[in-house]
Amino acid sequence: MVIFIIAHHTFREAIRKKILYVLMGLGILIIIAAPFFPTIDEPDARVKMMLVVFFQVVMLLCVVGVILLSATSLPYEIEDRTIYGVLSKPVSRLKIVIGKIIGFALLSALIIVILSLLNVAYIKQIASGLPESCRGVLKARDEFKALRFYIQGKSHHTSEGIVWIKGGRDGVAFWSFSDLCKTPNNKTSFEVEFDLKVESGRGFVGSIPVVVGIEDAFQGLGKTEVLSLMVDEPLTLKIDPEVVQKSGSVNITVFPIHEADYIGVTQKDVRLFSVQKGFIYNYAKAIVITFLKFLLIVIIAVMGSTYLSAPVSIAAAFVVFLCGHILDFIKDFSLLIHRYDVPGHALPTVLRKPSILLIYVDYIIKKPLEWFSVIMPDFKRFDTLKFLLKGINIPLETIGAVFAYTTIYAGICIFISSIIFKKREFL
Amino acid sequence: MDKYAVKIEGLTKVYKDFWRRKKIPALTNLSLNIERGEIFGLLGPNGSGKTTTIKLLLGLLFPTSGKSWLLGCPSSDLKIKSKIGFLPEETYLYKFLNAEEILDFYGKLFDIQRKERKSRIDRLIRDVGLEPYRKRPLSQYSKGMLRRIGLAQAIINDPDLVILDEPTSGLDPIGSREIKDLILEFKRQGKTVLLCTHLLADVQNVCDRIAILDKGVLQVIGSVKELLSQKDVIEFLVRNLSEDDVQAVESFIKNRDGDVLSIGHPSSTLEDIFINIIRKN
């Protein structure tokens, strides 16, 4: 009960601060301006830009606001001694810390919900003007990978893992997909995406005709059609649900018609998707993960603020936030030094003899960097934009993993905060 | 029930420096008891250890050595704080709230039920004279108004022990008198008051017992009457006596080997005159 009183108080204090409204106003302006940012000429590029701007710019702005508020709340209360009023009441220090965290978590939730509702409504409005074929970004698809891939007949040649097939039925690329209907659902539809390499001996052509066959793996039900495969542009086809629902297995074949045409294929080039839920559902999952990220940031900021002064606490929270996004770089930092030792590398600078100093520095910092990267929160786990941009359904397992990670990390942070704050004296 | 509202045994606080080396002794081996229902004054110049003592009692600081009990429980016991009211030296309140909201917040922390909380808030705001300003944010309050609302928050839980750190600081003479009246009212209600101040006039009028601290060391402790009384001096206050009668009394005393130290008209205090004028207006 006391925790929620403190949380409510913290929330009320935060929403009465001007900085929140300044940042939210700025966020709304950016959301509104996002479709007008210069981008490539693809029809759905504006929608993608809106997603990128929202998740990478607007949310960053909100993170800044939340850090500024949550990292300073306790230090300011200690500095102006309003904390005396609370500590002289029957309230444990742990409850104060947890109350603060919940208060700022509520604030984060409010900000995220308001801005994301605005963003999603705007995206829907912009996307309604797009042709149906370009609304892939507004889907939430489950991806299936081909279990089998081979060439029927003969291939022309293989280069860098890509198998090239000459037109005229010399060879046929074959992909097989299974277990597509684990949870049959009337609302489920399927589509297949071809991302094949195209060459032609007929000179420069924008597209080549190919024969595409999609059929049920057991009964052979399905259809074969001639399609135009564009150069450097994936092709998406809807699959008749009956073909999939009969056996849950589908075979896909592709070959170019003209003898002068070639297609380059790999196992990954044909992907099958089940489209189960809409964009909103997927977007909501992305927002939940984003909220968990904010929650973790709040907990880290409040943890720092139990011991540090306001400016140091803000700086510390920003450093952790930054490091949490570049953990790979931090881990690989010593490897960058190691690369100086790689013999036979093309760059002349690398051919130099390894510097004793660099080897020494590497030796010194390697372990601390490893430990540092373990201690820092891994914010890359919270990246949902990659799913939304590809129109891929965010797996529930991903949300579960992020939730578990947040819970464990938050638990450790709150434990440390409680110890620090319990031992703190107020002069 | 323990006889003492506050019991302190050998309380010592030594502040540490950056390297955690013990440096400044703020309080040295303080032992004292405050009985229930008593108004106890803790006196001393700035830096004498008064506020440190209060902070140690409230758990804002941790003692280097020694122990303390409040209302029979160790002062570190969280539950006992529900029976304690505290007014800090300066009124440290959340300025973004108004009077009603701040009292509601503190009332909730004491888990006072909604209906009871509301009636207490209304009464306290009325009692401290802030009824017209109850919806005004505390950021717009004067120092005196803040002090009043600070006092109201200190007694929102109807405490058994009220700890007041410099309660009259920043108040005008009327406000100061009202606070003193309120402290006496606490005594009538059977509450214990620990009054911490360096304004001696505050103490003399209201306290039953006092302790004087200097440089963290207890110098003297006792009842106000005992400490102030001059047992070899007698004072008569007489009305309607003629000049001849005064001379007769004086010569009578001299005849009996008494020393007449002073004869004259007693003066009122400036505070009394000020209050009389303001109240008449």
Side-chain angles (χ1 to χ4, degrees), chain A residues 152-154 165-172 211 224 253-259 261:
Chain A
Q152 288 175 336
K154 59 177 183 179
I165 300 169
K166 197 182 175 198
R169 283 189 180 272
D170 264 10
V172 176
V211 176
T224 303
T253 52
V254 181
F255 66 90
I257 293 175
H258 291 297
E259 286 190 4
D261 293 341

Side-chain angles (χ1 to χ4, degrees), chain A residues 200 320 381:
Chain A
S200 178
V320 171
R381 288 169 183 269

